[in-house]
Amino acid sequence: MSEGMGKTLSIETGIRCNNRCSFCYQKEWRCREASLPDPSTDELMAKLEWGIGNGYESVGFSGGEPTLRQDFLELVRRARELGYARVSLTTNGRRLSNPAYARELLEAGVSGIGWSLHGPSEEVHDLLVGRQGAFKQSVRGIRNVARLVSEMGLRVDQNVFFLMNRHNHQHLASTCLFGRRLGIKLFIVQPIIFSKGNLSTAAGLQVPLTAVVRSVRKAATLGARGEWFIKLFNLP
């Protein structure tokens, strides 16, 4: 619970996830997730209370996949009750393919969503996340939120997280174009995070810096005309 930039408290809700991304830095833990308990509801509630008592104005939930928690809606509601002005979520979006759950999440008070989308098609995305059908569910989740935001008159800031690697770097521009058609304007491009748990697979996914520059330049140039933005994270 160290101090965060812009008074945003980051809370990891646990390691459980319904994807099996080849690049995941938690990959070793993922193999043992059944025996590694997630933080309890009381522990996470205590973190929320600590944050509001120490000057944090926003909170961001990440995982694992936060929406797998049965108490996640309760956590979002509590964050709003405590007075957090912004409650954001980083998600693969699969559970939001259920329109009823997507509505509940927005009604609870989520005001920012970062979607993990690693390609413009099933072929690319599903290969990387290790789950057939994940792309369709994620896209359905984005579309559900777009419809609900309009119906409910809400403002929900959204972006796409794109983890650049050997299988998808050449698809960055087309992923941005696809995401823009879904209503997304900001695309955060990140490199692979290496850990002991993913080294055997992640090392083979690295992209030369020259290829990164070429792909980012193409996407950013198209974005200047297509009204989207590229933000680099942990890239030179």
Side-chain angles (χ1 to χ4, degrees):
M1 293 188 294
S2 60
E3 290 193 0
M5 289 184 63
K7 294 186 179 295
T8 297
L9 179 68
S10 296
I11 294 183
E12 291 191 1
T13 61
I15 66 164
R16 286 186 302 134
C17 186
N18 48 354
N19 281 347
R20 287 295 180 269
C21 299
S22 54
F23 47 74
C24 182
Y25 72 94
Q26 295 179 332
K27 189 173 182 180
E28 183 179 9
W29 296 344
R30 196 79 67 238
C31 297
R32 298 184 290 123
E33 66 180 23
S35 62
L36 294 173
D38 286 343
S40 69
T41 302
D42 288 344
E43 288 175 305
L44 296 185
M45 291 293 189
K47 287 185 178 183
L48 287 171
E49 292 175 8
W50 179 92
I52 208 70
N54 284 271
Y56 288 87
E57 300 168 352
S58 303
V59 60
F61 291 103
S62 63
E65 174 51 46
T67 62
L68 294 184
R69 291 187 65 104
Q70 292 185 351
D71 63 358
F72 187 61
L73 293 172
E74 183 182 350
L75 292 169
V76 173
R77 292 188 191 103
R78 182 57 179 157
R80 283 301 198 187
E81 289 171 0
L82 287 168
Y84 286 97
R86 174 183 166 86
V87 179
S88 60
L89 161 69
T90 300
T91 179
N92 61 37
R94 292 180 61 188
R95 193 168 180 198
L96 281 81
S97 64
N98 179 336
Y101 182 80
R103 178 180 287 275
E104 286 184 299
L105 200 58
L106 296 177
E107 289 176 341
V110 165
S111 57
I113 301 177
W115 307 92
S116 295
L117 193 67
H118 306 298
S121 65
E122 294 178 70
E123 180 182 9
V124 178
H125 181 84
D126 289 359
L127 170 69
L128 289 166
V129 305
R131 287 292 184 265
Q132 189 174 4
F135 179 80
K136 284 183 177 178
Q137 288 185 317
S138 298
V139 171
R140 195 176 301 126
I142 297 173
R143 287 179 171 148
N144 282 339
V145 168
R147 175 180 55 80
L148 289 166
V149 164
S150 177
E151 288 179 3
M152 299 166 71
L154 300 175
R155 172 177 172 174
V156 177
D157 297 323
Q158 299 177 66
N159 63 265
V160 157
F161 289 105
F162 180 94
L163 200 140
M164 183 174 283
N165 59 74
R166 182 170 59 87
H167 292 299
N168 71 358
H169 72 92
Q170 68 272 37
H171 300 294
L172 174 58
S174 54
T175 302
C176 292
L177 180 60
F178 180 78
R180 185 66 189 92
R181 290 170 179 161
L182 295 172
I184 309 297
K185 293 185 178 181
L186 176 61
F187 298 84
I188 299 176
V189 180
Q190 305 178 83
I192 294 170
I193 299 172
F194 289 96
S195 69
K196 286 197 303 182
N198 73 354
L199 194 59
S200 61
T201 53
L205 294 173
Q206 267 193 302
V207 185
L209 184 57
T210 52
V212 171
V213 171
R214 186 164 54 247
S215 295
V216 168
R217 179 177 288 128
K218 178 181 178 181
T221 300
L222 290 173
R225 301 194 299 268
E227 299 182 343
W228 69 74
F229 303 91
I230 304 289
K231 179 178 181 180
L232 303 183
F233 185 75
N234 283 344
L235 283 167

